[in-house]
């Protein structure tokens, strides 16, 4: 947690462990599996953990109970926004997966690479991912200008998903590649 009182750790071929005492005592949670990565909301209530084989588990009670969610592949890393609603997971030999609903649904994004590490900004809009033996990739939200006279310009194989929010304005939900707004 942001104040350091609630902690969570995973053990490969072991259990998930939680602490509410800044690490002076630990409680084993969930079954023994090949846990690989875990992330927490800033209050320590919403947790997400991944098993190397790709099963994602979430908790909304600081790790007391866990719910299996999606199986997305050989997942090596997971990160969370401060409120725990926006999650990102990196799959080795797969894609980056995003969730905007605390891990209930997942959407693949980006190229197939050996994703080894992911991180998220507090608001979940800026992401960074590292590919094993490769480069570091960043992603941030695209923006548009208000009104009907503007337009977006992107290169080959770029894509953007927009949601109409009313009053002539759109909200960018996700994008692949770089865009310019005019």
């Amino acid at each position: 947690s942001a104040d350091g009182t609630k902690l969570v750790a995973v053990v490969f071929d072991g259990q998930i462990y939680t602490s509410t005492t800044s690490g002076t005592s630990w409680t084993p949670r969930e079954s023994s599996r090949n846990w690989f990565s875990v992330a927490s909301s800033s209050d320590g209530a919403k947790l997400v953990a991944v098993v190397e084989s790709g099963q994602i588990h979430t908790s909304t009670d600081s790790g007391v109970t866990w719910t299996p969610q999606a199986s997305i592949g050989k997942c090596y890393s997971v990160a969370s926004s401060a409120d725990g609603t926006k999650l990102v997971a990196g799959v080795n030999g797969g894609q980056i997966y995003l969730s905007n609903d605390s891990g209930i649904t997942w959407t693949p994004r980006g190229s197939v690479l050996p994703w080894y590490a992911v991180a998220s900004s507090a608001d979940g809009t800026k992401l960074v991912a590292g590919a094993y033996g490769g480069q570091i990739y960043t992603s941030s939200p695209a923006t548009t200008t208000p009104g009907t006279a503007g337009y977006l310009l992107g290169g080959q194989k770029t894509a953007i998903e927009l949601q109409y929010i009313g009053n002539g304005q759109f909200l960018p939900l996700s994008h692949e590649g770089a865009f310019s707004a005019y």
Side-chain angles (χ1 to χ4, degrees):
S1 58
D3 65 4
T5 58
K6 293 181 180 179
L7 304 175
V8 61
V10 294
V11 176
F12 190 82
D13 196 23
Q15 291 178 271
I16 297 174
Y17 289 84
T18 60
S19 173
T20 57
T21 60
S22 300
T24 57
S25 63
W26 292 87
T27 304
R29 307 286 187 185
E30 195 44 54
S31 301
S32 182
R33 305 177 201 273
N34 290 337
W35 298 106
F36 217 85
S37 181
V38 66
S40 173
S41 61
S42 64
D43 65 0
K46 289 185 176 182
L47 306 176
V48 58
V50 294
V51 179
E52 182 190 30
S53 65
Q55 184 104 35
I56 297 173
H57 291 69
T58 58
S59 174
T60 57
D61 57 9
S62 300
V64 175
T65 59
W66 291 85
T67 303
Q69 302 292 351
S71 290
I72 59 173
K74 197 171 187 175
C75 199
Y76 276 7
S77 185
V78 67
S80 174
S81 62
D83 66 3
T85 60
K86 294 181 179 174
L87 307 175
V88 58
V91 175
N92 185 8
Q95 292 176 278
I96 299 289
Y97 283 77
L98 304 177
S99 174
N100 290 317
D101 56 10
S102 301
I104 296 169
T105 60
W106 293 84
T107 305
R109 296 282 190 248
S111 302
V112 173
L113 290 170
W115 298 111
Y116 228 68
V118 294
S120 172
S121 62
D123 65 2
T125 62
K126 295 176 184 74
L127 306 173
V128 62
Y132 181 77
Q135 298 178 325
I136 295 173
Y137 297 80
T138 60
S139 174
S140 58
T143 59
T144 64
T145 54
T148 58
Y151 63 94
L152 295 171
L153 181 63
Q156 184 179 4
K157 296 187 179 183
T158 58
I160 189 164
E161 180 182 13
L162 300 173
Q163 178 182 27
Y164 182 68
I165 58 174
N167 215 15
Q169 295 191 8
F170 291 85
L171 175 69
L173 298 177
S174 63
H175 71 91
E176 182 68 29
F179 288 88
S180 298
Y182 299 94

